[in-house]
């Protein structure tokens, strides 16, 4: 064909640069039009042309978008929106093989037959169109373009093993979402691309993939229509799809159109199957890789020469059959189905009595069914729109505003937002139609702003649901050679490449608990790799930290601030525990050794400071013989020994040995041999830990709160725990060792055979009630005899001991004293007596209210303690023995310490707390031992 009206068919597989070639040819002309199969692709080409020529000369026209500058030179359109009869110098139609599509094929066929540029026309598509183009456009020239890279079939592969920069193709929304969710869990996330998405949402998702935020793309077959993506591998999750009427298998050329998206430019690509899709037949795979497909034999066609005399005439012209063997009449599209449905409505037919009305009805019927609810629902909406337009000439602003307002909501999930986007696309299309609204610019902007808001919200929901940015970033960085950067905050929060991954607790990494499965493995792997330098920095800081920053717990844990960094374990001796550190393996042995040395230094210094007396005792080489052996026992017992356990050893110690031991702070008490300085809270707390370690306990007893004289006895505590805590169990409670010895000193002065009562001093130093004290005494080996007696009233004591008044002072008799208020003077009492009726003295005893004639004497409970038996073994069960029988007090029982009144305590000086033994040796611990020895020698 000659120069200025040439028609060229540029045919070849994907990745041959056909679209790029068409853009370059268009820009070589003064004006041009290019028609594209999808508005998504139209937007992509529009952006490229704008980048080359600027926005002032480039128009974008689709069903739902119209950007037309006043000086437009280049029109980028969807095929359906290409302007008729514009007379541009250049015209191109991309993906011309869609002439065979059952839904839209008749539009592409119409462009093939009738659309021409004044100087140049290009049809871009698959080589399967060579025969139909040659038959229908005889003057066309052919340009064959070869694929710039190789395409290889690699068979089936699990999604979990899919390499990065892969696209997984599904053929339904449910399938796409399911795959995207699976990839999010295993790979960190995926971008989602579907034809139903708005260009804004689709572009945001594609940008996320192209920028490397995610390495996977899940899409429908929309990506096969010329979208330029950085895809290395395409995997089909299914090999059949629903075409609007039935499920059918995809033809090899359709599979090739999608698979060809793998490998762009000179970069090779691969394709295969995944999920439930069966492996491709060898012949199909070979056809795709070699780009050899069965030529198309039939193209869909619909009559373009429509007649609008009546609805019936319009339908008849639409259903006209083609007159060429290569063409086949297209099946009823949505617009024709809607026209037939509205033709059944009486009001519609009444309105359509002239050509303009029928043409208007046809224009309304061509509104796409974006909502996809049902044909009847769509036809009902078209009827309302047509009636408004026919009756008023425009769609009422109030009605249109209500329709848009109902959709203008960004709440809800992905499905809700997708439905609203489909609904707003209807009004976006309506707003683009010239003359249908009073203010076209306003309603175009209004519909576009709502679509943009919904698009942004949908992109956000898709990202939230299908993208785990943290896992995606970490996986990508793990695959690179560069080291990742970890940051640890003052509170221990760890971020890697800006993503929160967990906490660093001491020298152990605790990852984010919300991560599970493959995501958790990725986080841990990335975090530990990035934390390696942090472990060394932290180990250096810990090694130089003062002891005040380190402490031990009552369960043997070792803490650095709030972080556990190790624990104590039993060593060769109680005072020489060892350290087990809590350090992750990835930190390395150097870090672990540094932490171990620092903790060992800490605990050794702590023991040296708190148990200095014991260490000095153990190193005293002047101690020999029995004293040396006793000192060894004290060290082993950590400074506290029940006397009953070493009674024989104590007896065997001579005066000099005891004196040498006392110089080290050892006190020989009646119940316990101990070092008072080691009963302080800090040594006690550490002693319990060291003792528990030496005993191999799994649960260590805790130290009592400081300052308490008695505490409740713990029946579940291991034997000896009360002694290590500085207490001795006696009955239901345990008493502090040093206070018990003070009590023992008081008890020595009492007559334990005749019996004695508890004094106020005894109750005071123990801080106990009388009942509790009685239980304590029984625990120490005493009998407690309970009794009751008449309580001595303070008023009687006052009267008995009242001093003789002065001679010049008025004297109150008994009646005056009873009537006088407390603290009244005698004169005041005389005045008060006038108000008191005369009561015979013999009827109202002194100190008794008149209405208390029948009340008995007030009683009080007391206990008489006597030595009942040898003290039970330390730590044995409680409440065994001890007489608590209730009985009346002894006759005349108001004597001191329970004896008869006025009767002297004969022989009290002859008894001690312990029954006398024949030829008992003088206790060298007695401070009066030397004097007693002298008295004994003079006998």
């Amino acid at each position: 064909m000659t120069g200025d009206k040439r028609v060229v068919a540029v045919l070849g597989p994907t990745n041959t640069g056909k679209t790029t070639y068409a853009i370059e040819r268009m820009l070589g002309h003064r004006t041009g039009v290019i028609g594209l199969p999808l508005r998504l692709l139209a937007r992509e080409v529009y952006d490229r042309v704008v980048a080359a020529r600027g926005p002032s000369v480039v128009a974008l026209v689709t069903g739902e978008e119209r950007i037309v500058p006043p000086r437009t030179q280049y029109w980028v359109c969807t095929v359906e929106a290409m302007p008729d009869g514009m007379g541009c110098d250049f015209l191109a139609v991309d993906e011309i093989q869609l002439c065979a599509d059952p839904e839209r094929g008749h539009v592409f066929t119409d462009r093939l037959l009738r659309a021409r540029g004044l100087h140049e026309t290009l049809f871009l598509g698959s080589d399967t169109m060579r025969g139909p183009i040659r038959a229908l456009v005889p003057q066309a020239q052919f340009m064959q373009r070869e694929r710039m890279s190789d395409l290889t079939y690699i068979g089936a592969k699990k999604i979990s093993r899919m390499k990065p920069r892969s696209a997984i193709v599904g053929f339904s929304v449910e399938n796409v979402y399911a795959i995207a969710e699976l990839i999010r869990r295993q790979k960190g996330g995926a971008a989602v691309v579907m034809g139903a998405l708005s260009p804004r949402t689709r572009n945001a998702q594609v940008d996320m993939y192209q920028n490397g935020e995610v390495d996977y793309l899940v899409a429908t077959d929309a990506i096969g229509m010329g979208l330029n993506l950085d895809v290395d591998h395409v995997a089909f999750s299914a090999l059949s799809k629903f075409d609007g009427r039935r499920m059918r298998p995809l033809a090899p050329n359709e599979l090739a159109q999608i698979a060809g998206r793998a490998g762009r430019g000179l970069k090779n690509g691969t394709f295969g199957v995944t999920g439930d899709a069966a492996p491709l037949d060898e012949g199909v795979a070979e056809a795709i890789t070699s780009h050899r497909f069965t030529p198309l034999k039939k193209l869909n066609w619909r009559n373009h020469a429509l007649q609008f005399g009546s609805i019936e005439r319009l339908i008849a012209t639409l259903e006209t059959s083609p007159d060429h063997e290569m063409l086949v009449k297209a099946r009823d599209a949505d617009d024709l189905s809607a026209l037939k449905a509205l033709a059944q409505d009486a009001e519609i037919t009444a309105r359509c009595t002239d050509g303009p009305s029928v043409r208007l009805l046809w224009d309304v019927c061509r509104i796409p069914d974006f909502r996809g609810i049902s044909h009847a629902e769509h036809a009902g909406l078209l009827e309302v729109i047509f009636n408004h337009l026919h009756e008023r000439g425009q769609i009422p602003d109030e009605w249109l505003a209500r329709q848009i307002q109902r959709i203008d909501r960004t709440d809800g999930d992905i499905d809700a937002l997708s439905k609203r986007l489909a609904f707003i696309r209807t009004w976006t299309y309506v707003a683009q139609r010239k003359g249908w609204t009073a203010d076209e610019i306003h309603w175009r902007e209004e519909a576009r702003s709502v679509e943009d808001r919904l698009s942004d919200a949908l992109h956000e929901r898709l990202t939230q649901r299908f993208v785990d940015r943290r896992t995606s970033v970490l996986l990508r960085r793990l695959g690179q050679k560069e080291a990742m950067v970890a940051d640890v905050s003052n509170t221990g929060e760890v971020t890697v490449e800006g993503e929160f991954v967990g906490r660093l607790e001491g020298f152990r990494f605790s990852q984010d608990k919300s991560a599970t499965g493959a995501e958790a493995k990725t986080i841990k792997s990335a975090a530990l790799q990035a934390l390696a330098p942090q472990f060394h920095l932290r180990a250096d800081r810990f090694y130089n930290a003062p002891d005040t920053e380190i402490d031990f717990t009552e369960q043997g844990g070792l803490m650095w601030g709030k972080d556990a960094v190790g624990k104590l374990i039993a060593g060769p001796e109680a005072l020489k525990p060892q350290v087990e550190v809590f350090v992750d393996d990835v930190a390395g042995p150097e870090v672990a050794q540094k932490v171990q040395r620092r903790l060992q230094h800490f605990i050794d210094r702590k023991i040296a400071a708190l148990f200095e007396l014991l260490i000095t005792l153990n190193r005293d080489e002047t101690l020999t013989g029995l004293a040396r052996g006793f000192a060894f026992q004290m060290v082993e017992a950590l400074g506290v020994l029940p006397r009953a356990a070493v009674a024989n050893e104590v007896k065997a110690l001579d005066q000099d040995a005891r004196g040498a031991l006392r110089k080290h702070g050892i006190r020989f008490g009646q119940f316990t041999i101990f070092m008072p300085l080691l009963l302080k809270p800090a040594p006690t707390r550490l002693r319990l830990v060291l003792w528990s370690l030496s005993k191999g306990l799994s649960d260590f007893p805790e130290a009592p709160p400081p300052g308490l004289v008695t505490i409740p006895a713990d029946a579940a505590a291991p034997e000896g725990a009360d002694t290590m805590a500085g207490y001795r169990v006696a009955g239901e409670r345990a008493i502090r060792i040093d206070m018990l010895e003070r009590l023992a000193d008081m008890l020595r002065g009492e007559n334990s055979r005749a019996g004695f009562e508890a004094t106020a001093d005894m109750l005071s130093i123990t801080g106990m009630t009388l009942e509790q004290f009685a239980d304590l005494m029984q625990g120490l080996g005493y009998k407690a005899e309970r009794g009751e007696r008449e309580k001595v009233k303070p008023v009687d004591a006052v009267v008995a001991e009242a001093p003789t008044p002065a001679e010049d002072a008025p004297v109150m008799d008994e009646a005056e004293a009873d009537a006088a208020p407390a603290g009244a003077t005698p004169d005041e009492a005389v005045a008060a007596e006038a108000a008191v009726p005369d009561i015979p003295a013999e009827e109202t005893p002194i100190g008794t209210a008149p209405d208390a004639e029948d009340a008995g004497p007030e009683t009080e409970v007391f206990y008489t303690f006597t030595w009942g038996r040898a003290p039970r073994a330390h730590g044995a069960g409680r409440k065994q023995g001890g007489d608590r029988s209730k009985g009346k007090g002894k006759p005349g029982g108001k004597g001191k310490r329970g004896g008869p009144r006025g009767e002297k305590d004969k022989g009290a000086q002859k008894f001690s707390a312990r029954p006398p033994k024949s030829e008992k040796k003088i206790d060298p611990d007695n401070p009066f031992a030397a004097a007693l020895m002298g008295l004994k020698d003079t006998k």
Side-chain angles (χ1 to χ4, degrees):
M1 191 172 182
T2 58
D4 62 350
K5 290 188 178 180
R6 69 176 188 145
V7 178
V8 180
V10 183
L11 306 180
T14 57
N15 192 28
T16 57
K18 297 186 294 294
T19 305
T20 301
Y21 173 76
I23 293 173
E24 292 173 351
R25 294 298 301 173
M26 180 175 71
L27 295 180
H29 293 273
R30 188 179 61 83
T31 60
V33 177
I34 183 169
L36 301 150
L38 298 174
R39 67 172 183 152
L40 300 179
L41 182 56
R43 167 61 77 166
E44 180 179 315
V45 172
Y46 169 77
D47 292 338
R48 292 174 64 182
V49 178
V50 166
R53 289 291 188 270
S56 63
V57 295
V58 186
L60 174 65
V61 181
T62 68
E64 302 130 72
E65 195 168 13
R66 185 178 179 87
I67 303 173
V68 183
R71 298 187 300 108
T72 298
Q73 294 178 256
Y74 304 105
W75 298 73
V76 181
C77 316
T78 53
V79 173
E80 286 85 349
M82 292 176 68
D84 287 333
M86 181 169 288
C88 291
D89 294 337
F90 173 89
L91 184 142
V93 179
D94 197 8
E95 305 294 351
I96 194 63
Q97 73 275 4
L98 287 179
C99 289
D101 183 76
E103 291 289 333
R104 306 169 61 203
H106 63 89
V107 179
F108 284 80
T109 302
D110 181 71
R111 301 296 183 261
L112 176 67
L113 297 175
R114 301 191 312 110
R116 296 291 184 272
L118 295 177
H119 300 297
E120 183 176 7
T121 302
L122 297 183
F123 296 114
L124 319 173
S126 171
D127 198 55
T128 56
M129 282 293 293
R130 184 177 295 270
I133 292 176
R134 182 178 288 115
L136 296 171
V137 188
Q139 72 274 28
Q141 300 177 357
F142 291 93
M143 178 185 295
Q144 183 69 33
R145 294 184 69 93
E146 300 298 330
R147 183 177 171 88
M148 292 183 287
S149 62
D150 294 334
L151 185 63
T152 307
Y153 175 65
I154 62 172
K157 182 175 289 189
K158 292 182 178 179
I159 291 179
S160 60
R161 297 185 178 181
M162 201 74 65
K163 62 183 181 180
R165 314 313 294 170
S166 294
I168 297 91
V169 180
F171 295 97
S172 69
V173 173
E174 294 78 10
N175 187 228
V176 167
Y177 287 170
I179 295 171
E181 179 67 28
L182 179 61
I183 292 178
R184 187 196 70 81
R185 294 198 302 267
Q186 296 186 348
K187 302 292 187 179
V192 174
V193 174
M194 298 182 292
L197 296 180
S198 66
R200 190 181 181 94
T201 304
R202 170 261 177 191
N203 289 341
Q205 290 286 304
V206 168
D207 288 345
M208 189 168 60
Y209 173 80
Q210 292 290 85
N211 295 336
E213 294 182 39
V214 293
D215 280 328
Y216 299 88
L217 180 73
V218 184
T220 60
D221 53 352
I223 66 168
M225 293 296 145
L227 296 182
N228 294 311
L229 300 169
D230 180 22
V231 175
D232 295 339
H233 177 74
V234 171
F236 293 93
S237 65
L239 299 176
S240 60
K241 75 171 189 175
F242 183 73
D243 65 359
R245 296 191 178 185
R246 61 185 177 86
M247 288 295 296
R248 64 173 181 82
L250 281 91
N253 62 310
E254 292 175 306
L255 293 172
Q257 186 70 29
I258 302 169
R261 296 299 115 189
R264 304 304 298 166
L266 300 177
K267 188 176 182 180
N268 295 332
T270 60
F271 70 99
V273 295
T274 189
D276 297 331
L280 293 176
D281 181 77
E282 291 184 8
V284 174
E286 173 63 24
I288 295 173
T289 57
S290 60
H291 320 298
R292 292 195 299 270
F293 307 104
T294 303
L296 293 174
K297 301 294 184 182
K298 299 289 183 180
L299 305 182
N300 286 282
W301 176 88
R302 190 169 74 180
N303 185 18
H304 73 280
L306 303 182
Q307 298 178 12
F308 298 99
S310 65
I311 297 177
E312 292 77 12
R313 186 59 186 161
L314 175 60
I315 294 174
T317 54
L318 284 168
E319 292 185 330
T320 301
S321 298
D323 56 2
H324 195 287
E325 62 179 7
M326 186 65 71
L327 304 176
V328 60
K329 187 177 73 172
R331 67 189 187 189
D332 288 355
D334 289 339
D335 51 5
L336 180 55
S337 298
L339 178 63
K340 289 181 177 180
L342 294 178
Q344 306 300 317
D345 185 272
E347 183 179 356
I348 296 294
T349 55
R351 290 180 181 274
C352 294
T353 57
D354 54 14
S357 298
V358 175
R359 183 182 291 273
L360 176 62
L361 178 62
W362 176 238
D363 288 341
V364 171
C365 289
R366 294 174 66 186
I367 297 175
D369 184 12
F370 296 112
R371 301 181 302 167
I373 300 175
S374 69
H375 292 299
E377 184 78 15
H378 183 59
L381 176 63
L382 298 183
E383 179 182 359
V384 174
I385 294 174
F386 172 75
N387 287 336
H388 282 310
L389 290 172
H390 191 270
E391 182 176 342
R392 298 177 177 84
Q394 294 174 340
I395 297 175
D397 288 347
E398 300 80 5
W399 183 81
L400 184 56
R402 287 197 302 271
Q403 308 308 311
I404 295 177
Q405 187 176 7
R406 287 188 301 177
I407 303 170
D408 190 9
R409 292 170 47 199
T410 58
D411 58 314
D413 57 11
I414 292 175
D415 292 337
L417 291 170
S418 298
K419 288 178 181 177
R420 292 186 199 129
L421 263 176
F423 285 10
I424 196 62
R425 289 178 71 184
T426 299
W427 305 118
T428 303
Y429 183 93
V430 169
Q432 298 296 330
R433 304 295 294 175
K434 189 174 182 179
W436 282 18
T437 58
D439 189 346
E440 295 178 12
I441 296 177
H442 167 74
W443 290 115
R444 287 174 184 174
E445 293 178 352
E446 184 69 18
R448 174 61 56 200
S449 64
V450 172
E451 181 175 337
D452 288 347
R453 284 193 291 273
L454 291 172
S455 298
D456 292 341
L458 180 58
H459 170 65
E460 180 183 352
R461 299 296 194 284
L462 289 170
T463 303
Q464 289 176 349
R465 179 171 173 183
F466 300 126
V467 177
D468 184 338
R469 292 186 182 274
R470 176 176 61 185
T471 305
S472 178
V473 169
L474 298 181
L475 276 172
R476 186 171 63 255
R477 296 291 288 157
L478 280 172
Q480 298 173 353
K481 300 298 182 182
E482 299 177 4
M484 288 183 289
V485 178
D487 181 63
V488 183
S489 69
N490 293 333
T491 59
E493 292 187 353
V494 180
T495 56
V496 177
E497 298 296 321
E499 300 292 337
F500 173 74
V501 295
R503 301 180 62 83
L504 190 59
E505 298 172 351
F507 296 91
R508 293 188 298 185
F509 173 67
S510 177
Q511 70 183 61
D512 184 15
K513 303 300 182 184
S514 64
T516 58
E519 178 186 3
K521 294 180 181 178
T522 300
I523 290 176
K524 185 172 184 179
S525 177
L528 292 181
Q529 176 181 323
L531 281 173
Q534 291 287 339
F535 281 125
H536 287 275
L537 292 174
R538 180 165 280 218
D540 292 338
R541 186 152 46 91
F542 175 66
Y543 195 81
N544 295 313
D547 282 355
T548 54
E549 293 185 7
I550 309 173
D551 198 4
F552 62 91
T553 69
E554 295 189 351
Q555 296 300 313
L558 293 170
M559 308 294 293
W560 181 26
K562 297 181 179 180
D563 297 330
V565 292
K567 69 176 182 178
L568 295 173
I569 58 176
E573 300 175 15
L575 289 176
K576 294 182 179 179
Q578 299 300 303
V579 169
E580 180 180 313
V581 297
F582 299 155
V583 178
D584 280 332
D585 292 339
V586 72
E590 182 179 346
V591 171
Q593 291 171 8
K594 187 172 290 188
V595 174
Q596 196 276 336
R597 288 197 303 270
R598 182 63 184 89
L599 290 177
Q600 193 67 56
H601 293 163
F602 161 76
I603 196 61
D604 290 344
R605 282 198 291 265
K606 183 67 71 173
I607 292 172
L610 297 180
F611 292 99
E612 182 181 0
L613 291 175
L614 279 181
I615 295 173
T616 304
L617 175 65
N618 193 38
R619 294 174 179 173
D620 189 354
E621 297 180 355
T622 62
L623 296 176
T624 59
L626 295 176
R628 182 66 179 170
F630 193 83
F632 178 75
Q633 291 188 68
M634 283 296 293
V635 173
E636 279 195 327
L638 300 175
V640 186
L641 268 172
R643 184 157 184 158
V646 290
N648 294 330
E649 290 85 344
V650 172
K651 290 178 183 179
L653 292 172
D654 58 23
Q655 189 69 12
D656 292 338
R658 294 194 183 200
L661 292 172
R662 285 196 188 96
K663 291 180 181 178
H664 287 281
I666 297 176
R667 179 180 174 185
F668 291 86
Q670 180 177 334
F671 294 96
T672 312
I673 315 298
F674 63 100
M675 305 175 88
L677 290 178
L678 297 188
L679 297 183
K680 292 184 176 181
T684 298
R685 179 168 168 259
L686 181 55
R687 179 172 54 249
L688 279 169
V689 173
L690 298 178
W691 176 78
S692 300
L693 289 171
S694 65
K695 294 294 183 181
L697 301 180
S698 57
D699 189 15
F700 298 3
E702 296 183 359
L708 297 182
V709 176
T710 65
I711 57 174
D714 185 2
E719 183 178 354
D722 57 333
T723 301
M724 291 297 107
Y727 287 77
R728 177 187 175 94
V729 173
E732 294 293 336
R733 298 185 71 81
I735 184 170
R736 209 168 72 199
I737 287 172
D738 55 343
M739 302 306 289
L740 176 60
E741 296 302 331
R742 288 180 58 185
L743 176 63
D745 291 341
M746 293 180 182
L747 295 179
R748 287 193 187 96
E750 301 293 342
N751 190 340
S752 60
R753 288 194 175 183
F756 63 92
E757 294 185 36
T759 66
D761 289 341
M762 295 178 187
L763 297 178
S764 176
I765 66 169
T766 60
M768 290 181 167
T769 65
L770 185 57
E771 291 285 345
Q772 292 174 332
F773 185 78
D775 180 74
L776 171 72
M777 294 296 286
Q778 291 182 92
L780 295 175
Y782 288 84
K783 286 185 178 181
E785 183 179 354
R786 187 179 187 277
E788 294 182 2
R789 63 189 174 202
E790 184 178 347
K791 186 175 182 180
V792 178
K793 298 180 180 178
V795 65
D796 294 340
V798 170
V799 171
E801 299 174 7
T804 303
E807 291 181 359
D808 57 347
V811 179
M812 291 186 290
D813 58 16
E814 293 182 359
E816 291 172 342
D818 288 342
T825 65
D827 292 334
E828 291 171 338
V830 171
E833 190 239 355
V836 180
D838 293 335
I839 300 175
E842 64 275 7
E843 295 182 8
T844 307
I846 294 174
T848 306
D851 58 350
E853 294 180 2
D854 298 333
E858 188 176 356
T859 62
E860 65 178 356
V861 174
F862 69 97
Y863 284 91
T864 302
F865 301 103
T866 58
W867 183 257
R869 54 180 171 77
R872 58 172 174 256
H874 186 50
R878 297 185 292 276
K879 289 190 175 180
Q880 296 178 4
D883 184 7
R884 288 196 175 201
S885 59
K886 295 182 180 180
K888 298 296 182 181
K890 296 179 181 180
K894 287 189 180 181
K896 187 177 181 181
R897 297 180 184 172
R901 177 178 296 181
E903 183 177 343
K904 293 183 179 180
D905 189 2
K906 300 177 182 180
Q909 73 278 8
K910 298 179 181 179
F911 301 100
S912 64
R914 182 176 295 173
K917 296 182 180 180
S918 58
E919 299 297 328
K920 179 182 177 183
K921 295 181 181 180
I922 296 174
D923 188 352
D925 292 331
N926 193 320
F928 306 104
L932 292 174
M933 186 66 71
L935 290 174
K936 183 175 180 180
D937 293 341
T938 59
K939 289 184 179 179

